[in-house]
Amino acid sequence: MKKFFAVFEKEYHLVNDRAKMERLEDDNGHKILHYIIVTPRLITNRIMFPCLYEIDGENGEYTFISSTRGQEAWNEKHKDLIKKLVVSEQTIQYYNFKPLESGGCHVTVVAAMNPNGMIPGMIKKVMGKAIATGV
């Protein structure tokens, strides 16, 4: 899985064609991304600048975490990219991969976010389902 996340930001469009992602400069050794979520018409696109944390565990275990918590300075620094977009909050996006002796992999995913702004309830349900089944 670590190999997958090594190219995650470059190939993300293959997983989600409604999102655009590019890597910005690092912050204290952690990757910072410029992430835009392209929304349906009549809804303003979302933007965020999550910080990525990677943890190598024992026996091939790998954890990937991203969050916008504490990233307010990045919103200010890159307000030229924000323009009229709505800044979303990604409290946490957590993936943990543990190889199994059988050759498989146990995956734990935790995601919590607030898209902010006005979004109809029907769209929120679709978003929630997409996040919950994204792995």
Side-chain angles (χ1 to χ4, degrees):
M1 289 314 303
K2 187 173 182 171
K3 288 181 183 179
F4 168 77
F5 282 102
V7 296
F8 181 70
E9 64 263 17
K10 293 178 188 170
E11 304 297 339
Y12 189 72
H13 67 281
L14 298 173
V15 177
N16 184 351
D17 63 353
R18 298 193 64 84
K20 299 174 184 176
M21 184 185 310
E22 72 175 300
R23 186 170 172 185
L24 298 175
E25 64 270 25
D26 287 0
D27 185 15
N28 292 318
H30 300 290
K31 297 175 186 176
I32 304 295
L33 298 179
H34 167 224
Y35 185 82
I36 295 177
I37 302 161
V38 180
T39 57
R41 289 186 181 161
L42 304 177
I43 300 174
T44 306
N45 290 345
R46 283 5 192 206
I47 188 169
M48 61 182 155
F49 301 97
C51 182
L52 309 183
Y53 304 89
E54 298 176 273
I55 303 163
D56 289 314
E58 295 180 17
N59 302 318
E61 182 177 350
Y62 176 69
T63 302
F64 172 87
I65 303 167
S66 66
S67 178
T68 59
R69 286 278 169 105
Q71 294 298 95
E72 295 78 13
W74 288 88
N75 295 346
E76 183 63 29
K77 181 177 182 176
H78 293 289
K79 57 184 166 184
D80 60 313
L81 297 173
I82 296 172
K83 300 174 187 167
K84 294 183 179 182
L85 302 179
V86 174
V87 178
S88 292
E89 298 171 27
Q90 183 184 69
T91 306
I92 188 168
Q93 189 166 358
Y94 169 94
Y95 296 90
N96 175 265
F97 303 91
K98 287 184 184 176
L100 301 174
E101 289 181 20
S102 65
C105 185
H106 181 268
V107 180
T108 302
V109 178
V110 176
M113 72 167 298
N114 182 350
N116 290 328
M118 193 285 301
I119 298 180
M122 179 183 76
I123 303 285
K124 287 182 184 179
K125 285 182 183 178
V126 170
M127 287 172 55
K129 190 173 185 177
I131 291 169
T133 60
V135 172

